[in-house]
Amino acid sequence: MDAYAEISHWMFKAEVWVIVGIGLVMADIFLGYTFFILPVGIAAFLISAMIFSQQKMWLGNFTFFDTWRDIVIYFAVLVLILL
């Protein structure tokens, strides 16, 4: 499997984003107030919810993401909004 397909496979799994979110929130808790990782963790949870709702077709035929690059763009925008 080439790298593009591997990245695309893992980026579209909502469980991966939940694990990333939990890891970032826990890192923020244990590192104290010197790092601001909490908004990044919350953005990971929101990306996970968006992927899950797209997979379950809760919004009909509306799609948030077509490629893994769309996920990265949405993630970056959410992080900037939450900061």
Side-chain angles (χ1 to χ4, degrees):
M1 191 178 288
D2 63 334
Y4 183 82
E6 190 72 26
I7 290 171
S8 183
H9 172 74
W10 288 107
M11 292 287 274
F12 278 98
K13 293 211 173 268
E15 298 87 7
V16 171
W17 287 99
V18 169
I19 292 169
V20 168
I22 290 172
L24 289 169
V25 169
M26 294 205 39
D28 188 62
I29 290 170
F30 289 121
L31 292 176
Y33 294 109
T34 56
F35 296 99
F36 298 102
I37 306 172
L38 186 64
V40 182
I42 292 172
F45 286 129
L46 291 174
I47 291 292
S48 173
M50 291 167 74
I51 290 172
F52 187 74
S53 67
Q54 179 175 325
Q55 289 173 350
K56 297 295 181 182
M57 296 184 71
W58 286 348
L59 301 175
N61 290 333
F62 181 75
T63 57
F64 290 108
F65 315 113
D66 290 326
T67 64
W68 65 269
R69 291 180 182 101
D70 295 336
I71 295 175
V72 172
I73 291 169
Y74 272 79
F75 182 67
V77 169
L78 282 172
V79 168
L80 289 175
I81 289 171
L82 291 172
L83 280 175

